[in-house]
Amino acid sequence: MSATSTSAHATFQLTEELNKTIIQSLVSSFGLDFLLFEDKKGGEVATIHNVRKYQSGETDIHISEQVKQEYKNQGAYKATKLDANGNKVFNSKGNIVKDDRNHTNIEYKNRGSVDKKLQQEGQLYDAYRDQNMAKNDNRQLDHIISSHEAHNDAGRVLSGLDGVKLANQSSNFQSTHSYINNLKSAHSMDAFLNDVLPRTVQSKKTLIKTNQAKLAGMPENTPLQRHKKRKLENSIAKDKGHVEVLESINTDKMREADKQARQQYDGQINAKYYTSSKFFKSTGYESVKSGLKMGIRQALGMILAEVWFELKEHIPELYKDSQGNFTLDRFLNRLKKMATDIWTRIKTRFKDILTEFKDGAIGGVLSSLTSTVMNIFFTTQKLIGKLLRETWNSLVSAAKIVFFNPEKLSTGDLAREVSRILSTGVAVAMGVILNQHLATVMTFPLGSELAAFVSAITTGLMTLGITYFLDHSEMMQKVWDFLNQFKSEARQTLEYFQKVNTELDRYLVELAQIEFHFNTQDMMRFTDSLVAINSEYEKGLILTLEIKKRNIELPFESGNIDSTRNWLKSLC
């Protein structure tokens, strides 16, 4: 919306303004937008957060086919072991041997050797139980983030990092009791502590009670009966030992160990992916594409609106002609004139159309970048993409006025224009939310089109109401007038020199008239006459008349060629 002074808004044509606002909303925000854009949950650019959400079961998140194929083709957790000739290796039972790269990893083996020595010295700290391990404890080296989880992590696959290297680094190792390690297995820390651990302890305790009751009633008359009783006693003792080990777990320490391991793990994945050319190319491509679409939407929306405004004026005339003495030639001429007027109208607004395209493109790029950044931390819904586009479209226009002030508005007028632009953006955003709600309710045929129409009318009414309030409210006029009192030092200096220049021009004109009896109007007419005439003869006549009028004395007779030649000879 072009900037105008307060006085320019003295009159307000309600019907005309409402018509313009609704048409512009229909052809841009609620018309072309749904043709050019297909908003998706999670945006267009793949992020670590979103691919993990998709992996966890949120299949409505948009993930490109390329990313899906990368994850699908990552390979098995334990690959088939091959001999030197590339042939599959089979064990003695005829089964294919799997290559467990994680438990044969050199870092894993080295850490196991170090921890073994520390255990024998009584210095091996078990963070899971917040105590040093005893020399006779059955020790195992646990991957805090399981190697299975690292291999199947969609975020890790997206970053392109090796799962074996990520899982087998010092920050992801923790020696603990073998039973804890075996029970934890491939579970995540949250799943283990929240589900597996309490469920196992409860089932073990229940089993112990059952077996103890069974033990109390077992006979021991024969050797076989005594053997069965000892076997059950050993089972009870073993289960008690397991419960004791599990109850010795310090859940806070265990979570802290997991937190530190994941910070290191996620930091490496994020740093790798978000600084990669893969991410920048995808982000750049989607941003440019969104910018072009948004620019086209804004420019095409303005063109279509101008076409409609012109058609609205010509269609009644066409109808009137058809009701009277209709002729094909007259009808075609009317169509020709209509097409010419449309083209003329569009050409007149060509500069504005380019500006709309540029501002829309900038807004589209910024909205795409914003959406991508937001999806790094959380998954955005479809509605967010639309709201971001409309918000940035308004912010770009407002920023351009604030920082460049092309119309050189005073403080109050500038504040009014910025408020109008931002409030229009809010109105459009509210219309978008309404449209989203109506689209879910109006599921009948043409329901989506009706929802868009109702949303456009609502947006137009809100925009019109806010605009009228900003331009015609007595309270707001006082605000703008108050702000207009504040001028920058540069503005005050400029206005001062403008006044000085005006006074100086007036003084020089008066001085010329007083000192030289010089009439500036007569001199202007005289110079205009000389400029307008091409003939040297006619210019000579005008000069002769002016010399006689001014009583100017010449060393020769004006208009006499012989006199002029004699004077020139006397100069030699």
Side-chain angles (χ1 to χ4, degrees), residues 357-369:
F357 177 84
K358 179 184 65 176
D359 293 348
I362 295 173
V365 169
L366 292 175
S367 66
S368 178
L369 290 174

Side-chain angles (χ1 to χ4, degrees), residues 87 181 215 217 240 286 389 395 427 447 464 532 549 562 569:
N87 299 317
N181 181 52
L215 182 66
K240 286 183 177 180
E286 293 299 336
R389 281 196 301 276
L395 289 177
L464 205 61
K549 179 180 178 181
D562 292 335
K569 288 179 181 179

Side-chain angles (χ1 to χ4, degrees), residues 412 474-484:
E474 183 178 350
M475 179 185 70
M476 295 310 299
Q477 290 302 324
K478 291 180 180 179
V479 173
W480 309 142
D481 292 340
F482 174 75
L483 292 176
N484 279 331

Side-chain angles (χ1 to χ4, degrees), residues 284-462:
Y285 173 76
E286 293 299 336
S287 297
V288 171
K289 186 170 73 171
S290 177
L292 288 175
K293 286 183 178 180
M294 191 65 176
I296 291 172
R297 191 200 84 168
Q298 294 302 105
L300 191 56
M302 177 175 282
I303 292 173
L304 291 177
E306 295 300 322
V307 170
W308 168 249
F309 295 147
E310 198 66 37
L311 285 175
K312 192 180 67 170
E313 296 179 5
H314 282 273
I315 288 176
E317 296 296 329
L318 283 171
Y319 178 75
K320 183 178 179 181
D321 288 346
S322 66
Q323 298 298 311
N325 186 18
F326 177 81
T327 63
L328 181 61
D329 183 61
R330 187 176 180 182
F331 178 73
L332 292 176
N333 287 333
R334 174 68 71 179
L335 289 179
K336 181 180 178 182
K337 183 178 185 306
M338 182 175 67
T340 303
D341 290 347
I342 289 174
W343 178 241
T344 302
R345 185 166 186 147
I346 292 174
K347 285 195 299 182
T348 304
R349 299 294 305 274
F350 185 71
K351 184 178 179 181
D352 294 332
I353 292 171
L354 287 180
T355 301
E356 281 293 315
F357 177 84
K358 179 184 65 176
D359 293 348
I362 295 173
V365 169
L366 292 175
S367 66
S368 178
L369 290 174
T370 304
S371 176
T372 300
V373 171
M374 291 172 69
N375 276 287
I376 291 176
F377 302 101
F378 61 90
T379 302
T380 59
Q381 301 298 317
K382 293 180 181 180
L383 181 62
I384 296 297
K386 172 72 174 172
L387 291 176
L388 285 175
R389 281 196 301 276
E390 300 303 336
T391 301
W392 273 114
N393 192 42
S394 299
L395 289 177
V396 168
S397 299
K400 185 173 68 173
I401 291 180
V402 170
F403 293 109
F404 299 103
N405 194 7
E407 300 296 331
K408 308 300 180 185
L409 299 174
S410 57
T411 305
D413 293 336
L414 184 65
R416 188 191 62 242
E417 291 304 316
V418 172
S419 299
R420 181 185 292 113
I421 291 172
L422 295 179
S423 61
T424 300
V426 173
V428 174
M430 295 298 292
V432 170
I433 296 173
L434 176 63
N435 179 260
Q436 186 78 7
H437 174 71
L438 292 177
T440 59
V441 176
M442 299 179 177
T443 56
F444 48 83
L446 299 179
S448 59
E449 288 76 11
L450 180 60
F453 180 73
V454 172
S455 301
I457 292 179
T458 304
T459 300
L461 290 173
M462 286 192 293

